[in-house]
């Protein structure tokens, strides 16, 4: 028996709505927290400031006997006038023993301020390994420019795709493809907002790149299904739109699944073995590509069928451009 995507469309919409709602709630919580102040936990790329990553020197006797105490780190920061700084512990397996690393993101500090802070922390929680110290500084103006440029690129991508699909198909096709793209972006952003609250995951400029990539991947699957919808209607112009969409999805389902799986495999390898720089970039692509495949099959197609059926005009697609 052929798979019917239309019969369970309320279920598909409910699943998407639940995930998106959870993400929106997480974004609201993040925005209300003074240590985040944004829908997502922003990395240094966007907000500017100084990030210090300090690793305890475990070659010093008794220096790594216990975990780093965040309360002690916050106490030191408060004495330095940096009470609103963001603190995150990073524990990484180094083979023989665990590395104990504290990452601190704070306002822009000059050389003397960084030295004083590092010295005070060393006295309080232990000696640091000079080779494990990383310091990054980004000006707030540069951070805003990166954010604005990335957001502009994303909006232009949405607009360009909508215009193209309007000319390639019809406006209702383009509109529901836009809804599917927005669905994918919302799910990815929402999940990263949740990760930011639970695990302290930050988003940087690579996250914006991942969103642009997700948009391109998602619309590709949607166009394939829409093309098949037109082909089915051309062969059977009297067929009800619900059956048209079911047939189109059934004919492209294997192709969509295979394409998605072959894309997810290398991304999974990058996530597991690609290092810290690419880890969350790969995770964003994993989430977005899964959401994109889902929205193309279960959201864009079913919403088009719902709209055409609501208009009681199931055969007008037969007159569309080839």
């Amino acid at each position: 028996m052929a798979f019917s995507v239309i019969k369970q469309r309320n279920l598909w919409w409910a699943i998407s709505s639940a995930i998106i709602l959870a993400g929106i709630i997480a974004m609201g919580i993040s925005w209300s927290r003074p240590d985040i102040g944004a829908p997502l936990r922003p990395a240094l790329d966007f907000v500017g400031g100084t990030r210090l990553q300090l690793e305890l020197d475990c070659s010093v006797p008794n220096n790594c006997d216990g975990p780093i105490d965040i309360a002690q780190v916050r106490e030191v920061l408060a004495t330095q006038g940096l009470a609103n700084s963001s603190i995150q512990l990073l524990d990484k397996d180094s083979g023989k023993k665990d590395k104990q690393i504290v990452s601190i993101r704070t306002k822009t500090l000059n050389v003397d301020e960084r030295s004083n802070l590092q010295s005070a922390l060393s006295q309080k929680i232990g000696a640091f390994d000079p080779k494990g110290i990383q310091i990054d500084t980004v000006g707030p103006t540069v951070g805003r420019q990166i954010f604005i440029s990335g957001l502009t690129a994303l909006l232009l991508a949405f607009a360009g795709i909508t215009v193209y699909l309007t000319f390639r198909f019809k406006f209702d096709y383009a509109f529901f493809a836009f809804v599917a793209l927005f669905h994918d972006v919302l799910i990815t952003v929402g999940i990263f907002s949740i990760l930011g609250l639970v695990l302290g995951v930050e988003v940087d400029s690579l996250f914006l790149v991942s969103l642009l990539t997700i948009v391109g991947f998602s619309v590709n699957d949607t166009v394939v299904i829409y093309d098949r919808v037109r082909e089915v209607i051309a062969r059977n112009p009297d067929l009800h739109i619900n059956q048209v969409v079911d047939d189109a999805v059934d004919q492209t389902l294997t192709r969509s699944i295979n394409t998605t799986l072959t894309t997810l495999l290398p991304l999974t390898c990058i996530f597991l073995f690609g290092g810290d720089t690419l880890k969350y970039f790969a995770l964003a692509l994993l989430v977005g590509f899964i959401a994109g495949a889902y929205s193309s099959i279960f959201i864009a197609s079913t919403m088009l069928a719902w709209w055409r059926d609501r208009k009681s005009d199931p055969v007008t697609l037969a007159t569309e451009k080839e």
Side-chain angles (χ1 to χ4, degrees), residues 2-13 225 241-250 253 294-303 305:
F3 172 72
S4 175
V5 71
I6 296 295
K7 289 182 180 179
Q8 301 295 328
R9 65 185 176 193
N10 289 335
L11 174 62
W12 315 135
W13 296 353
I225 293 176
I241 187 61
N242 286 349
Q243 187 60 50
V244 168
V245 169
D246 270 344
D247 289 349
V249 170
D250 187 59
L253 186 61
Y294 181 89
S295 68
S296 296
I297 297 169
F298 299 105
I299 304 300
S301 60
T302 57
M303 292 191 80

Side-chain angles (χ1 to χ4, degrees), residues 155-198:
L155 293 176
L156 287 175
F158 270 105
I161 289 171
T162 303
V163 170
Y164 169 74
L165 291 179
T166 300
F167 283 100
R168 182 69 176 85
F169 297 97
K170 277 191 172 183
F171 179 73
D172 53 356
Y173 278 78
F175 177 77
F176 291 119
F178 179 89
V179 170
L181 295 180
F182 195 60
H183 162 280
D184 304 338
V185 170
L186 265 183
I187 284 183
T188 306
V189 171
I191 288 179
F192 267 76
S193 181
I194 294 172
L195 292 175
L197 289 173
V198 177

